[in-house]
Amino acid sequence: MELSKYIKSESVELNRSAIRFADYNPRKLSDESRKTLKRGIKKFGLVGGIVVNKRTGLTVVSGHQRLSVMDELQKFPDNDYRIRVDVIDVDEKQEKELNILMNNPNAQGSWDFDALARIVPDIDWKDAGLTDADLNMIGVDYLLQTEEENSIADALSDMMAPVTEQSEADKAAKQLERAEKVAHMKEVKQQVKENAQKQAENMDAYVMLSFDTYEAKAAFCERFGYDPDMKFIKGEVFDEQVERID
């Protein structure tokens, strides 16, 4: 069977030093997003092709951020590592069009939040690149990981990097630990919710009096033994005054 006529690239291995970034690349990556990408590459490897254009001197068309993270992990340029890329041969105008198209959300799909919500409990959502905002949007009902927990998770991931296999018993233990953690998160979330409700109730425990004239206010204050110039009176003090008058 012949290769599809729509396949326009060739997969080859090159030295990293042969490839150059596009100086016009309009894409940027926040520190948090870079951290997420790095975490994913460390766990899964470099999955998905980096596209370079032969006609413009092996300029990167797609994959700038992934290549940048790979450079960091491989300690480039001190280490000139080998990498597999997809090579195309187009003019500079088409190269720029592809650079935008291959990173453009308008040319990509959108999430089915109901389907995504069913998947999230079965995965490590941080490793999938999801954020707390994503989980809120999806409607997943458990407390999100803190930055401290994320740092611990990253440290553990680094420690476990040399391990290539894991027994079924270890996997079961990990799943149990995660289930216990989720249960604890739910409990903490409920406590936070209850405390917030109590604070809201306490904010309603006051009453405001309004007088037409200063003389009316002064008469009221003198009736209960307060300075007419006071603007705030604590409730427990007022109760004591009422009991004394009674």
Side-chain angles (χ1 to χ4, degrees), residues 74-102:
Q74 293 288 335
K75 297 180 172 54
F76 180 80
D78 294 335
N79 175 36
D80 189 11
Y81 61 96
R82 296 283 288 179
I83 189 169
R84 184 179 294 112
V85 298
D86 290 329
V87 179
I88 60 174
D89 187 4
V90 298
D91 60 34
E92 187 173 356
K93 174 178 175 293
Q94 290 176 314
E95 174 185 297
K96 291 179 178 179
E97 291 169 349
L98 279 170
N99 175 273
I100 296 174
L101 176 65
M102 297 179 73

Side-chain angles (χ1 to χ4, degrees), residues 168-183:
E168 291 301 320
D170 289 338
K171 292 180 180 179
K174 183 178 179 181
Q175 291 174 351
L176 178 61
E177 180 182 359
R178 182 171 179 271
E180 292 174 347
K181 183 177 180 181
V182 170

